[in-house]
C-alpha cells in the first residue's frame, strides 16, 4: 500500500502571531498529516508597492487595496522559523515552508529542509526555479494557472539546473480561492502524468474535503490543503481553509482510501471467503427424486447454501441419473 504524502498548508493563517502558528502545528499533528507548511518571504522582495490584492483577498480582508501592506502583517521572522521547527519536533510532525523570493530560498536552504515546495505563482520565475534546482533535494511543484507548455518549461529549468527528474512531483492545482467545482478538473492529473511521466498530486483550494479524497482515488501521491484554526478569523485565506476537525476527517478518509485501493488484482478476499457458501447457491432437489430417475428442470432447482454442485454445471446435471433417493431441498 503506497502512502499519500499529506501537507497541511498553514500558510499565512497564523496572522503574524507565533502562538497561533504553534497552535496550527499542534492541530496538524493531531490530524495526522506528514508536513505542516508555512510561507517564507520578505514582503518588499515579493511584491511591489503597486501590487493590488486578488479579488478573494479583497473580499476576505477589506480595507485598503495594497498587497504589500497585507503581507507585511503576515511575515514570519527568522527567529520565528527556528521556534516553529522546534515546536514541530516536539509535536512529531515535519516542518516545511514555501519560499517566495531568492533571499528566502537561501534562508530555507540553511535550515536543511528535506523538501522544496514551489507555489503556482513562481512556476514562470526562471531565476527562482534555477536557484531551487541548484540547491538539490526533492521538489514538489504546483501547476495552478498553467497549461502544459508552462509546466514543460519549468521542468526543463529545474532539470537543466540540477534537479533529477525522478526528484520532481507535479501538483495539479487551481488557484481560485475557493475553486469552483466546475474548474477543479481532477482528470488533468492524468494528463500531466501521461505528458511528463513524473508522480502527480493535487493542491486543493475547494471548500470541504471531497475533492482531495477523490484525487487520492485517482492516483494522487501528494495532497496539499489549507487549514486554519477558525474560518471566521480575519485574513486572506481562512475562508477557503479547513478547520482542524475537517482536516482530521480528510486525513482519516485518505488513509482509508489508500487501504481500499488494494493491489488492483481481482480475487477473493479473505474477509469475504467465509460468505461464499452462505451467499452462493447449489443445485438441489425441487421434489422427491427416486434412485434411477433422470434429473430434469422440473425436479431440480437452485437454492442456498453453496458448497454443493455449482449452478454453473446445470447443463451437465440435466439428463443424468439420480444415484439415490433425494428429498426436497437436498443437495444433488
Amino acid at each position: 500500500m503506497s502512502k499519500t504524502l499529506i501537507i497541511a498548508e498553514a500558510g499565512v493563517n497564523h496572522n503574524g502571531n507565533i502562538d497561533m502558528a504553534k497552535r496550527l502545528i499542534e492541530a496538524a499533528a493531531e490530524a495526522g498529516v506528514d508536513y505542516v507548511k508555512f510561507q517564507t518571504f520578505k514582503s518588499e522582495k515579493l511584491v511591489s508597492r503597486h501590487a493590488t490584492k486578488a479579488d478573494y483577498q479583497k473580499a476576505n480582508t477589506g480595507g485598503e487595496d495594497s498587497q504589500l501592506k497585507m503581507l507585511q502583517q503576515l511575515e514570519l521572522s527568522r527567529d520565528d522559523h527556528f521556534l516553529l521547527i522546534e515546536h514541530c519536533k516536539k509535536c512529531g510532525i515535519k516542518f516545511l515552508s514555501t519560499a517566495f523570493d531568492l533571499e528566502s530560498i537561501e534562508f530555507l536552504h540553511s535550515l536543511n529542509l528535506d523538501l522544496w515546495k514551489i507555489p503556482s505563482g513562481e512556476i514562470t520565475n526562471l531565476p527562482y526555479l534555477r536557484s531551487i534546482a541548484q540547491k538539490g533535494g526533492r521538489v514538489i511543484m504546483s501547476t495552478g494557472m498553467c497549461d502544459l507548455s508552462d509546466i514543460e518549461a519549468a521542468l526543463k529549468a529545474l532539470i537543466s539546473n540540477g534537479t533529477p527528474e525522478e526528484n520532481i512531483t507535479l501538483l495539479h492545482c487551481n488557484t481560485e480561492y475557493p475553486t469552483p467545482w466546475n474548474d477543479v478538473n481532477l482528470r488533468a492529473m492524468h494528463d500531466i502524468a501521461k505528458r511528463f511521466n513524473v508522480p502527480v498530486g493535487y493542491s486543493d483550494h475547494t471548500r470541504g474535503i471531497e475533492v482531495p479524497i477523490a484525487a487520492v482515488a485517482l492516483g494522487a501521491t501528494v495532497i496539499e490543503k489549507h487549514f486554519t484554526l477558525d474560518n471566521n478569523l480575519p485574513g486572506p485565506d481562512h475562508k477557503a481553509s479547513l478547520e482542524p476537525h475537517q482536516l482530521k476527517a480528510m486525513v482519516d478518509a485518505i488513509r482509508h482510501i489508500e487501504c481500499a485501493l488494494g493491489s488492483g488484482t481481482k480475487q477473493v478476499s479473505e474477509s469475504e471467503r467465509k460468505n461464499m457458501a452462505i451467499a452462493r447457491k447449489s443445485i438441489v432437489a425441487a421434489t422427491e427424486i427416486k434412485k434411477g430417475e433422470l434429473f430434469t428442470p422440473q425436479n431440480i432447482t437452485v437454492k442456498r447454501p453453496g458448497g454443493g454442485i455449482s449452478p454453473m454445471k446445470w447443463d451437465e446435471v440435466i439428463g443424468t441419473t439420480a444415484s439415490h433417493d433425494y428429498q426436497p431441498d437436498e443437495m444433488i
Side-chain angles (χ1 to χ4, degrees):
M1 179 181 72
S2 59
K3 188 171 183 286
T4 308
L5 185 72
I6 304 178
I7 301 170
E9 168 74 73
V12 294
N13 282 344
H14 49 75
N15 287 3
N17 182 304
I18 191 66
D19 290 329
M20 188 181 293
K22 288 181 177 180
R23 294 203 301 276
L24 284 163
I25 290 171
E26 292 161 9
E30 176 65 25
V33 305
D34 299 293
Y35 285 87
V36 59
K37 187 172 82 67
F38 293 90
Q39 295 180 7
T40 303
F41 55 86
K42 301 298 279 185
S43 300
E44 68 277 8
K45 294 184 180 295
L46 174 56
V47 297
S48 77
R49 63 181 183 275
H50 304 297
T52 60
K53 297 176 184 176
D55 288 343
Y56 77 89
Q57 292 172 334
K58 294 175 186 177
N60 294 337
T61 61
E64 60 182 282
D65 195 30
S66 170
Q67 192 178 152
L68 177 61
K69 289 188 177 181
M70 176 187 73
L71 291 173
Q72 284 172 335
Q73 301 172 47
L74 302 172
E75 280 188 31
L76 291 172
S77 70
R78 294 195 171 206
D79 287 343
D80 288 339
H81 284 74
F82 295 116
L83 291 172
L84 295 180
I85 288 171
E86 284 304 309
H87 201 62
C88 282
K89 290 178 181 176
K90 179 180 176 182
C91 294
I93 189 173
K94 289 186 176 182
F95 173 88
L96 185 61
S97 191
T98 293
F100 283 84
D101 57 78
L102 297 180
E103 182 180 314
S104 294
I105 291 175
E106 296 300 327
F107 172 59
L108 290 181
H109 182 54
S110 74
L111 300 179
N112 296 315
L113 304 184
D114 64 348
L115 186 62
W116 292 102
K117 172 65 206 321
I118 297 176
S120 296
E122 304 301 333
I123 199 168
T124 57
N125 183 346
L126 180 58
Y128 177 101
L129 297 173
R130 184 176 289 149
S131 177
I132 283 186
Q134 292 168 349
K135 300 296 185 291
R138 294 183 298 148
V139 173
I140 295 175
M141 183 163 63
S142 286
T143 61
M145 304 174 291
C146 289
D147 58 24
L148 292 177
S149 64
D150 294 322
I151 300 171
E152 183 175 20
L155 279 175
K156 182 178 179 181
L158 289 173
I159 294 167
S160 64
N161 284 281
T163 300
E165 186 176 31
E166 60 267 23
N167 282 5
I168 301 172
T169 298
L170 296 174
L171 303 189
H172 173 50
C173 177
N174 179 293
T175 60
E176 179 64 358
Y177 294 71
T179 301
W181 300 111
N182 61 320
D183 282 342
V184 172
N185 193 19
L186 271 184
R187 290 193 180 99
M189 289 196 307
H190 295 159
D191 195 23
I192 293 169
K194 181 179 178 181
R195 175 64 179 81
F196 300 111
N197 195 32
V198 297
V200 295
Y202 176 64
S203 179
D204 185 50
H205 298 126
T206 63
R207 295 191 189 278
I209 67 175
E210 305 99 310
V211 176
I213 295 167
V216 173
L218 288 175
T221 62
V222 177
I223 292 294
E224 180 182 64
K225 181 74 173 177
H226 280 264
F227 80 110
T228 177
L229 297 176
D230 186 339
N231 291 137
N232 296 313
L233 287 167
D237 296 340
H238 294 284
K239 296 294 185 188
S241 300
L242 298 181
E243 291 189 341
H245 70 282
Q246 296 171 303
L247 181 64
K248 187 174 190 318
M250 184 193 78
V251 173
D252 289 346
I254 286 173
R255 298 305 180 215
H256 293 161
I257 292 299
E258 288 170 350
C259 187
L261 285 172
S263 67
T265 301
K266 178 57 181 173
Q267 57 190 3
V268 179
S269 71
E270 288 305 311
S271 63
E272 68 182 345
R273 192 176 299 279
K274 63 182 181 300
N275 296 327
M276 293 172 69
I278 297 170
R280 289 186 173 180
K281 295 178 178 178
S282 302
I283 298 176
V284 303
T287 64
E288 286 189 12
I289 302 173
K290 298 298 183 180
K291 179 179 178 180
E293 280 190 52
L294 293 180
F295 293 124
T296 69
Q298 288 72 43
N299 64 11
I300 62 173
T301 189
V302 172
K303 291 186 179 181
R304 291 178 177 177
I309 296 176
S310 168
M312 294 301 288
K313 296 184 180 295
W314 178 267
D315 290 343
E316 298 175 34
V317 173
I318 294 295
T320 62
T321 302
S323 60
H324 61 272
D325 293 345
Y326 288 92
Q327 294 299 311
D329 284 347
E330 188 177 349
M331 283 186 184
I332 301 302

